[in-house]
Amino acid sequence: MPVEKTKSAKIFKIRGRVVTVNLIPGTKVYGEELIKEKAVEYRVWDSWRSKPSAAIKNGLKNFPLQENMIVLYLGIANGTTASHFSDVVGKNGLIYGVEISGRPFRELLPLAEKRGNIVPILANARKPEDYEHTIIDKVDLVYQDVATDDQITVLIRNCEKFLKSGGYAVLAIKSQSIDVVKPPKQVYKECLQELEKYFEILDKVELDPYEKFHLFVVMKWKK
Amino acid sequence: MQAYLVKTFIGIFALDENRKVVSFRPFPKDGSDVASRLDEKEPKEYKEIKIELKQKGFKTFVDDDEKSKELVNQNLRKYAIEYKFSKDVLEFNQFLSKVNQEVSKRKIKSQVSRDSLVINTNNAIDELDKSINIFVERMREFYGLHFPEMDRLVSDHEKYAEIIKKYGTREKISDSELKKFAEDSMGIEFTGEDVGIASILADNVIELYNLRKKLSDYLGNLLKEVAPNFSALGGDLIAAKLISRAGGMDRLSKMPSSTIQLLGSEKALFRFLRSKGRSKSPKYGLIYNHPLIQNSPADKQGKIARLLASKLSIAARIDYYSGEYRGDEMKKELHEKVKEILKEK
């Protein structure tokens, strides 16, 4: 099977499916398929379970995640998506994962232990003050996947504290969490207007049919 | 001379007035040890570094200096390698991850409270009820082949199961009412093996009912501990369902009474919000099953729901913040107010 390259150096496609190079060969994280190709083991990045993968499938041109990056992940949950991020940033990269709920940590903690490049932080992303001393770096990329109506504010506040100047921010806007009553298109428009004050918008794509009413946005910090 | 002290996850740094690092005391290289030192205000190394600094001539010590903290954090990777705490960035990152795993573990432990047990028990009862229904249906279908008449005569499921377990075939039933029908039943004959299977099904049904009783007794005890006032007003079942829907006592205690009133009717509420007033707003959610609402005329139910919800929200707050038992007087007050509402024309 041919391994196709994508715009992001460490993310590939095999037969149309998005894959990453397995950081710890031989282990699965959430029951995904492993494909071995010329002595390299790839993990299939399930588009139905992970939004960045869905976005890449839906034609996102620019996904800025690269090797050796330091990433702040807001809403890391049990680490399905984060495990692929961990593949991409590699052993010398680092992912700070913030999650408010203790329940998903049952899966996240063993994952962090195995991979060594995920820093789990049990905290509320609305209050970056609570974990500002845990995060000792300025990060290259902030990724946000949380279900709150104030997700835009949360993102901006975290970027102000932790994002490098000229760094990237990637988020999935959940229109149903922001306002169920308004039509999604209108919610997207309002969010983008707000975001444009702080970011340069590089790319955006809707996640249908993988996730309904979600807009995936890639941005660059103006500061 | 003044020194700034900065606690990081690899140890304690001391900076002089010009914010240059003058000393460093490493923590032990163990995630769990570091996690407990981060909790402590003055860990062992903190005291040690103070003594050392005093000898060097420093008199005053400043802990919470934002500028020093930022400075140290920015250079922490560099320092870790300089002071030979980690041999490279990779090892440093892994240790950072390790420490935060420990910190999270500790936080999780303190985060889970007794009301998580209420939520889980309540869910277990809900699921058990579904299972009981499935098993009962199968048991009745199966034994109905042998003695179809009994299905209508014994409506209580537990009793039905006990009859199968006690007598086996219909001919052995000694209950006079049933015996009459058993004599000329239209069911087929059951062999010993058939009866054996029927009584296993019956056994399981009885066991499931026993489990349900145990769970609901347990739930009652839990609620007395976690939410004494709340459950006194709402009744065990409704109280447990409300706590479960709200996601715990802390959230419930912070909810306005109008939210408690509508917990469980989210679908109807959002239908109303979406329709911009074309459909009606719901008046009650889970609390609809409360006897005070059930036993009132339809035109008063909305008003009583509002009253009940307001009292429940007060009770939830007492439970969560003080725990003092005032259920009986609150109940009395509630019943009096309901009487007044019912008297209104």
Side-chain angles (χ1 to χ4, degrees):
Chain A
M1 279 176 280
V3 180
E4 294 165 49
K5 281 188 178 162
T6 66
K7 280 274 164 75
S8 318
K10 283 280 161 180
I11 302 169
F12 305 92
K13 274 185 172 178
I14 294 176
R15 274 198 182 161
R17 289 194 294 179
V18 185
V19 298
T20 57
V21 180
N22 198 351
L23 187 68
I24 305 165
T27 51
K28 292 181 180 182
V29 173
Y30 53 96
E32 72 281 12
E33 201 181 318
L34 301 177
I35 300 173
K36 210 155 190 178
E37 202 50 49
K38 288 187 190 130
V40 183
E41 189 175 88
Y42 298 91
R43 288 169 58 227
V44 174
W45 196 349
D46 190 345
S47 302
W48 295 96
R49 296 185 57 172
S50 184
K51 287 171 201 104
S53 170
I56 292 167
K57 265 225 145 149
N58 280 3
L60 186 82
K61 283 182 222 79
N62 190 338
F63 189 61
L65 191 68
Q66 301 290 349
E67 200 173 358
N68 298 337
M69 269 190 171
I70 296 177
V71 179
L72 170 59
Y73 191 135
L74 305 170
I76 191 165
N78 53 18
T80 306
T81 301
S83 70
H84 290 283
F85 279 22
S86 151
D87 283 348
V88 174
V89 299
K91 285 219 150 65
N92 290 315
L94 197 62
I95 297 161
Y96 290 100
V98 178
E99 172 62 45
I100 187 169
S101 160
R103 177 64 186 82
F105 271 69
R106 283 188 209 171
E107 284 99 44
L108 183 65
L109 288 179
L111 186 76
E113 202 173 337
K114 230 182 250 168
R115 297 194 156 244
N117 61 359
I118 298 174
V119 180
I121 302 170
L122 184 64
N124 186 347
R126 284 200 193 90
K127 294 179 187 157
E129 311 83 62
D130 287 357
Y131 50 88
E132 62 182 339
H133 295 302
T134 311
I135 299 180
I136 55 167
D137 303 282
K138 285 277 174 193
V139 303
D140 302 298
L141 186 149
V142 176
Y143 177 75
Q144 187 202 41
D145 183 8
V146 297
T148 57
D149 54 354
D150 56 353
Q151 70 172 127
I152 304 291
T153 333
V154 171
L155 178 78
I156 290 165
R157 287 183 56 201
N158 276 283
C159 286
E160 269 169 353
K161 265 212 146 60
F162 304 115
L163 189 60
K164 261 184 197 160
S165 69
Y168 295 99
V170 180
L171 86 161
I173 301 174
K174 301 188 179 202
S175 83
Q176 295 293 292
S177 297
I178 291 171
D179 197 327
V180 264
V181 178
K182 280 184 197 157
K185 286 256 158 29
Q186 196 188 334
V187 176
Y188 297 155
K189 214 175 128 193
E190 287 171 12
C191 288
L192 290 174
Q193 270 171 4
E194 181 63 28
L195 287 167
E196 269 171 348
K197 290 180 199 160
Y198 300 87
F199 301 97
E200 180 195 337
I201 291 169
L202 301 178
D203 204 354
K204 55 180 196 280
V205 64
E206 281 190 65
L207 297 187
D208 207 56
Y210 302 105
E211 299 274 353
K212 271 187 182 169
F213 310 125
H214 279 66
L215 186 71
F216 197 87
V217 190
V218 177
M219 302 173 297
K220 204 174 165 122
W221 192 230
K222 275 185 184 168
K223 276 184 195 166
Chain B
M1 277 201 296
Q2 178 177 277
Y4 298 104
L5 295 177
V6 180
K7 190 158 79 172
T8 71
F9 79 97
I10 62 169
I12 293 167
F13 286 88
L15 285 75
D16 65 9
E17 274 150 348
N18 303 321
R19 294 202 171 77
K20 285 197 84 169
V21 178
V22 288
S23 182
F24 167 65
R25 283 273 161 158
F27 285 149
K29 266 196 199 174
D30 178 272
S32 168
D33 285 344
V34 173
S36 47
R37 276 170 174 73
L38 290 177
D39 273 344
E40 281 173 59
K41 208 172 171 326
E42 300 192 347
K44 199 173 91 219
E45 287 78 3
Y46 184 88
K47 287 167 195 148
E48 284 169 7
I49 205 170
K50 256 188 170 174
I51 294 168
E52 184 199 317
L53 289 170
K54 271 180 190 156
Q55 284 167 354
K56 282 188 184 164
F58 289 95
K59 296 248 159 46
T60 47
F61 302 99
V62 183
D63 283 338
D64 287 312
D65 180 54
E66 284 302 320
K67 213 175 153 194
S68 309
K69 277 185 190 171
E70 219 184 288
L71 214 71
V72 171
N73 273 339
Q74 269 173 14
N75 296 305
L76 200 56
R77 276 164 213 279
K78 206 179 81 198
Y79 292 154
I81 294 163
E82 251 172 49
Y83 287 96
K84 300 210 162 46
F85 187 86
S86 315
K87 77 172 189 293
D88 53 16
V89 176
L90 182 63
E91 198 188 290
F92 177 88
N93 284 354
Q94 280 171 350
F95 190 64
L96 176 61
S97 169
K98 185 83 210 135
V99 168
N100 279 291
Q101 286 166 35
E102 283 302 325
V103 171
S104 311
K105 267 186 204 163
R106 283 162 196 236
K107 270 195 201 156
I108 290 168
K109 218 178 215 170
S110 61
Q111 211 184 42
V112 177
S113 55
R114 302 275 299 167
D115 48 358
S116 315
L117 288 170
V118 175
I119 297 173
N120 267 303
T121 313
N122 174 60
N123 293 346
I125 290 177
D126 272 357
E127 280 156 15
L128 196 56
D129 280 340
K130 277 182 207 153
S131 316
I132 287 177
N133 275 333
I134 294 170
F135 269 89
V136 161
E137 224 171 288
R138 183 51 55 217
M139 173 187 73
R140 281 180 178 265
E141 276 303 309
F142 193 96
Y143 199 69
L145 296 173
H146 176 53
F147 190 5
E149 292 80 3
M150 191 165 99
D151 192 34
R152 297 182 60 199
L153 294 169
V154 184
S155 57
D156 183 51
H157 303 317
E158 236 183 317
K159 216 171 143 195
Y160 192 103
E162 263 151 21
I163 290 173
I164 301 177
K165 206 185 157 193
K166 196 169 164 195
Y167 301 112
T169 56
R170 62 170 184 254
E171 287 81 14
K172 290 190 194 136
I173 295 177
S174 58
D175 184 284
S176 60
E177 178 80 6
L178 288 171
K179 207 171 177 174
K180 229 167 42 203
F181 288 92
E183 271 156 15
D184 55 5
S185 169
M186 57 182 164
I188 58 166
E189 296 302 323
F190 261 18
T191 66
E193 201 185 358
D194 303 336
V195 171
I197 295 297
S199 60
I200 290 172
L201 284 175
D203 265 343
N204 274 308
V205 170
I206 293 168
E207 256 325 291
L208 288 176
Y209 273 107
N210 285 339
L211 179 58
R212 196 188 186 287
K213 261 173 227 135
K214 267 184 207 150
L215 283 178
S216 69
D217 288 348
Y218 172 63
L219 184 64
N221 294 338
L222 268 180
L223 283 167
K224 270 199 200 85
E225 177 195 327
V226 173
N229 297 297
F230 191 67
S231 60
L233 288 190
D236 285 357
L237 209 69
I238 293 174
K241 285 200 166 128
L242 287 172
I243 294 172
S244 171
R245 178 60 74 127
M249 283 306 284
D250 57 334
R251 289 207 196 159
L252 192 68
S253 67
K254 285 172 194 136
M255 280 182 174
S257 77
S258 54
T259 306
I260 294 180
Q261 187 186 346
L262 295 183
L263 274 181
S265 66
E266 285 78 7
K267 203 175 159 193
L269 177 66
F270 286 114
R271 191 189 324 122
F272 163 70
L273 290 175
R274 241 185 259 259
S275 70
K276 299 194 177 76
R278 260 174 279 121
S279 72
K280 280 182 190 166
S281 115
K283 296 193 200 70
Y284 16 65
L286 287 166
I287 62 168
Y288 185 64
N289 293 318
H290 194 278
L292 280 176
I293 296 177
Q294 284 290 306
N295 300 334
S296 303
D299 61 327
K300 296 281 188 341
Q301 282 177 336
K303 201 165 184 182
I304 294 174
R306 217 160 16 179
L307 172 70
L308 178 63
S310 72
K311 290 291 173 206
L312 281 172
S313 77
I314 294 170
R317 281 163 213 187
I318 298 175
D319 285 336
Y320 188 66
Y321 292 105
S322 92
E324 179 195 351
Y325 185 70
R326 279 161 58 186
D328 293 327
E329 53 179 298
M330 289 186 80
K331 216 169 169 178
K332 213 172 119 197
E333 208 180 315
L334 174 67
H335 280 271
E336 268 162 25
K337 284 209 169 160
V338 170
K339 259 183 214 158
E340 271 171 42
I341 292 176
L342 290 175
K343 266 187 220 153
E344 283 169 18
K345 269 285 159 207

